[in-house]
């Protein structure tokens, strides 16, 4: 487990250094981000569909789907109740719920699942991410827009969503990609982990720690996002004695920092965009401490 943690930190550190010394200009970084989210990551997901649907895998997929559905129902409902007790305006309450509930499951979740559990982990992550996409682009966007508006068009066109649905179809049916195409897709998808971690390291160069220290409500989001929710998920999977790999995937996906989509849509609808942006930055920064600790904890309880 420690070698994996060091690998993650070294890849992010490499991204930080190359960005800081000027080897990766902003326009190239933005292009790499679009390439990752629009092509490399979807192909990585699609490559994980080349598996046989065994009884343990079917049970794992079912476990992941149920845990993801339960998590989003609990997180949204619980955060809405909590936000009503806090001295916040309507927009801030909405951002607290959205940023607290929705993690960065695509940009961070897939490479981490791939690094830890290979194709099986990517497959579980794809199922979990379908729950994220369905919930965010319906309830999440509607909440940030002030109610009554969903972004189903974006949901249907998102490459990660399309690839996730196609991968589930491949697993559940006899359909398979031709061998030569499968090999090419797997090779391209293999770039997901190093490239995504490099880009996260680049993002650290834009963070201003002094601004984050003054936002008390961002600390609340960070505590819920990085500690409370993953520990609750861990307690549930241990109490129910669920399969190790899907359980570990769901715990780790629940422990990721706030998703950047929440901040993008908060900016689009002018719904406390500063609060949303600070939550993304702070949780991403603190993840460097909380995530390795959680990996070690999962190793101690036998889930990794």
């Amino acid at each position: 487990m420690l070698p994996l943690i060091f690998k993650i930190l070294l890849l992010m550190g490499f991204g930080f250094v190359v960005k800081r010394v000027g080897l990766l200009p902003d326009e190239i970084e933005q292009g790499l981000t679009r390439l990752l989210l629009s092509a490399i990551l979807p192909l990585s997901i699609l490559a994980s569909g080349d598996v046989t649907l065994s009884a343990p895998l079917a049970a794992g997929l079912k476990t992941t789907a149920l845990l993801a559905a339960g998590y989003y129902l609990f997180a949204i409902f619980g955060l809405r109740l909590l936000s009503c007790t806090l001295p916040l305006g309507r927009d801030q309450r909405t951002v607290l719920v959205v940023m607290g509930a929705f993690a960065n499951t695509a940009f961070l979740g897939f490479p981490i699942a791939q690094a830890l559990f290979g194709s099986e982990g990517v497959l579980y992550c794809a199922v979990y991410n379908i729950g994220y996409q369905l919930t965010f682009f319906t309830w999440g966007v509607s909440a940030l827009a002030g109610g009554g508006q969903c972004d189903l068009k974006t949901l249907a066109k998102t490459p990660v969503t399309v690839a996730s649905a196609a991968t589930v179809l491949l697993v559940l049916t006899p359909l398979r990609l031709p061998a030569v195409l499968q090999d090419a897709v797997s090779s391209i998808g293999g770039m997901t982990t190093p490239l995504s971690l490099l880009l996260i390291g680049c993002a650290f160069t834009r963070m201003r720690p002094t601004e984050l220290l003054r936002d008390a409500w961002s600390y609340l989001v960070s505590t819920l996002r990085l500690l409370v929710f993953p520990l609750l998920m861990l307690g549930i999977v241990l109490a129910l004695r669920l399969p190790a790999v899907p359980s570990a995937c769901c715990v780790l996906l629940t422990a990721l920092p706030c998703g950047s989509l929440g901040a993008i849509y908060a900016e689009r609808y002018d719904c406390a965009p500063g609060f949303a942006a600070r939550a993304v930055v702070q949780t991403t920064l603190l993840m460097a401490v909380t995530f390795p600790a959680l990996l070690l904890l999962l190793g101690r309880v036998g889930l990794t």
Side-chain angles (χ1 to χ4, degrees):
M1 188 58 60
L2 284 175
L4 176 62
I5 294 173
F6 286 132
K7 176 183 176 181
I8 292 172
L9 294 176
L10 285 173
L11 286 170
M12 289 192 295
F14 178 73
F16 180 90
V17 171
V18 297
K19 181 67 176 179
R20 178 66 74 184
V21 301
L23 293 177
L24 192 62
D26 290 345
E27 59 272 17
I28 296 180
E29 180 188 351
Q30 293 166 6
L32 287 174
T33 300
R34 288 194 299 271
L35 178 64
L36 175 68
L37 295 177
S38 299
I40 296 176
L41 177 56
L43 290 178
S44 173
I45 298 169
L46 194 62
S48 69
D50 188 31
V51 295
T52 301
L53 185 61
S54 61
L57 180 60
L61 293 172
K62 181 180 178 181
T63 296
T64 303
L66 291 174
L67 287 174
Y71 163 72
Y72 284 114
L73 287 173
F74 172 80
I76 292 172
F77 182 73
L79 286 169
R80 290 187 69 179
L81 288 179
L82 174 64
S83 68
C84 292
T85 68
L86 302 174
L88 296 171
R90 187 198 68 84
D91 286 354
Q92 287 182 304
R93 288 199 300 269
T94 299
V95 167
L96 175 73
V97 177
V98 171
M99 304 310 292
F102 295 102
N104 199 341
T105 56
F107 195 80
L108 276 172
F110 283 104
I112 288 174
Q114 184 181 56
L116 281 170
F117 307 111
S119 295
E120 183 182 2
V122 174
L123 188 56
Y124 294 141
C125 190
V127 172
Y128 191 102
N129 194 65
I130 289 174
Y132 168 92
Q133 300 279 348
L134 289 173
T135 311
F136 179 82
F137 285 108
T138 53
W139 180 85
V141 172
S142 176
L144 292 171
Q149 186 169 355
C150 300
D151 199 347
L152 296 177
K153 184 177 180 180
T154 299
L155 170 64
K157 295 194 303 181
T158 301
V160 170
T161 304
V162 175
S164 297
T167 300
V168 173
L169 179 65
L170 288 175
V171 172
L172 297 179
T173 67
L175 297 174
R176 290 293 182 272
L177 296 176
V180 63
L181 182 58
Q182 174 67 35
D183 184 59
V185 166
S186 298
S187 297
I188 297 171
M191 294 187 285
T192 298
T193 298
L195 182 57
S196 62
L197 294 175
L198 181 148
L199 290 171
I200 292 167
C202 292
F204 283 147
T205 64
R206 294 187 290 274
M207 296 181 180
R208 300 292 181 266
T210 54
E211 297 178 7
L212 305 178
L213 295 175
R214 295 195 293 266
D215 191 347
W217 298 116
S218 290
Y219 282 112
L220 175 59
V221 174
S222 296
T223 301
L224 293 167
R225 174 77 267 132
L226 302 176
L227 295 175
V228 175
F229 287 146
L231 291 177
L232 284 175
M233 180 70 80
L234 177 59
I236 290 170
V237 300
L238 291 177
L240 298 178
R241 298 183 179 180
L242 298 176
V245 175
S247 296
C249 280
C250 288
V251 172
L252 294 175
L253 291 171
T254 310
L256 296 174
C258 301
S260 57
L261 274 178
I264 291 170
Y265 276 88
E267 180 73 32
R268 176 176 177 179
Y269 295 116
D270 194 27
C271 184
F275 179 24
R278 288 191 296 273
V280 171
V281 173
Q282 188 182 95
T283 54
T284 303
L285 188 63
L286 293 177
M287 174 206 171
V289 176
T290 60
F291 200 81
L294 183 62
L295 281 175
L296 291 175
L297 178 59
L298 291 179
R300 293 291 296 273
V301 299
L303 291 184
T304 58

